[in-house]
Amino acid sequence: GLWLNTQRPEWNDANNALVGHGVSVVTLCHLRRFVVFLRTLLQRPGCADFAVSEEVAEWLSATGGALEESLPLLDAPFSDRDRKRVLDALGEAGSRYRSLVYPQGFSGKKKSVMRGSLIDFFENVLRHVDRSIASNEREDGLYHSYNLMSVTAGGEGIAIRRLGLMLEGQVAILNSGCLSPVECLRLLQALRQSKGLEKDGLLVPAEIANTYFYLAHQHRSAWTHELDLRAHSDLAWWNHAASGSV
């Protein structure tokens, strides 16, 4: 769907409903844009090394080490055990950082982080993000938007369960920059075939514009700060138990 808001920041209903167990491909796509932006920023001529808090530098080193160690796993399908091992390593890096900073704050000590090591860090992050996005492609050429994670029996792995198809996931994929022009066209064609105009499953751009115009010019005596636009065939995920498209 599409939210049009006027007087408050955007928030994501689907994400809020998945707190604790949700794995958002939509958020991952937005993260990719930030990672690419930061990598490009660091690659500019004249960009020097950085002095950061010692605690942040230690977290960066531990996180980068975990990502570096898991690079060989990206060339094959992730097992539940592999997924837990990577998540544990990243979680331990975050836990050590919190155990230092939360009780007593920052020490005030600084440590130099080389520009080249930061570029390498973001390169490895990007490789993991792209691998994760690619693993969410469906057989029909569309992409999963949200998943649920659960610890397997015995606590030795983490399993992923897919949720139903959502239009916002396709928009996030197209906006992430991970697809080539040809791949974008292929995704749009798959989207049209799956939820095209004849199936009332897509929002018509001209009608989105009409609704946006109304929102911007609504009368002060009767107004709303939010409109939730949905295609005719969409099901309301917040009160519908269907497992199909939402």
Side-chain angles (χ1 to χ4, degrees), residues 68-135:
E68 184 79 29
E69 186 176 346
S70 62
L71 283 176
L73 299 174
L74 302 183
D75 297 327
F78 259 67
S79 68
D80 292 347
R81 189 184 296 268
D82 289 337
R83 190 178 294 113
K84 186 175 186 301
R85 186 165 67 247
V86 175
L87 185 60
D88 283 345
L90 294 173
E92 288 169 4
S95 294
R96 285 195 297 270
Y97 171 80
R98 289 190 296 272
S99 67
L100 291 173
V101 174
Y102 284 16
Q104 56 195 22
F106 291 100
S107 64
K109 298 178 181 178
K110 299 291 184 178
K111 189 172 183 179
S112 179
V113 177
M114 297 180 63
R115 168 177 168 263
S117 66
L118 283 174
I119 294 175
D120 291 341
F121 172 81
F122 285 118
E123 288 284 359
N124 286 338
V125 171
L126 192 59
R127 290 184 63 183
H128 282 79
V129 168
D130 284 348
R131 172 64 175 79
S132 297
I133 291 175
S135 69

Side-chain angles (χ1 to χ4, degrees), residues 162-226:
R162 310 297 190 181
L163 295 183
L165 178 66
M166 296 187 75
L167 181 59
E168 63 193 77
Q170 319 318 306
V171 176
I173 291 289
L174 291 168
N175 196 43
S176 70
C178 67
L179 301 183
S180 68
V182 172
E183 290 170 329
C184 287
L185 180 59
R186 190 179 302 130
L187 173 55
L188 288 170
Q189 290 170 336
L191 184 60
R192 171 140 189 129
Q193 183 176 358
S194 173
K195 301 190 69 173
L197 294 177
E198 63 278 3
K199 300 177 183 178
D200 281 335
L202 296 179
L203 295 168
V204 179
E207 297 306 322
I208 296 175
N210 287 336
T211 306
Y212 179 82
F213 183 85
Y214 158 75
L215 186 68
H217 294 83
Q218 58 190 313
H219 194 270
R220 59 187 293 173
S221 67
W223 62 275
T224 180
H225 61 75
E226 174 180 327

Side-chain angles (χ1 to χ4, degrees), residues 222-235:
W223 62 275
T224 180
H225 61 75
E226 174 180 327
L227 287 176
D228 184 1
L229 304 186
R230 299 276 170 173
H232 176 72
S233 63
D234 275 2
L235 301 176

Side-chain angles (χ1 to χ4, degrees), residues 132-180:
S132 297
I133 291 175
S135 69
N136 280 278
E137 184 176 4
R138 297 159 34 118
E139 292 183 359
D140 59 4
L142 301 175
Y143 285 79
H144 297 289
S145 302
Y146 298 101
N147 305 312
L148 294 178
M149 57 177 283
S150 60
V151 179
T152 58
E156 296 182 354
I158 292 180
I160 295 294
R161 180 165 66 89
R162 310 297 190 181
L163 295 183
L165 178 66
M166 296 187 75
L167 181 59
E168 63 193 77
Q170 319 318 306
V171 176
I173 291 289
L174 291 168
N175 196 43
S176 70
C178 67
L179 301 183
S180 68

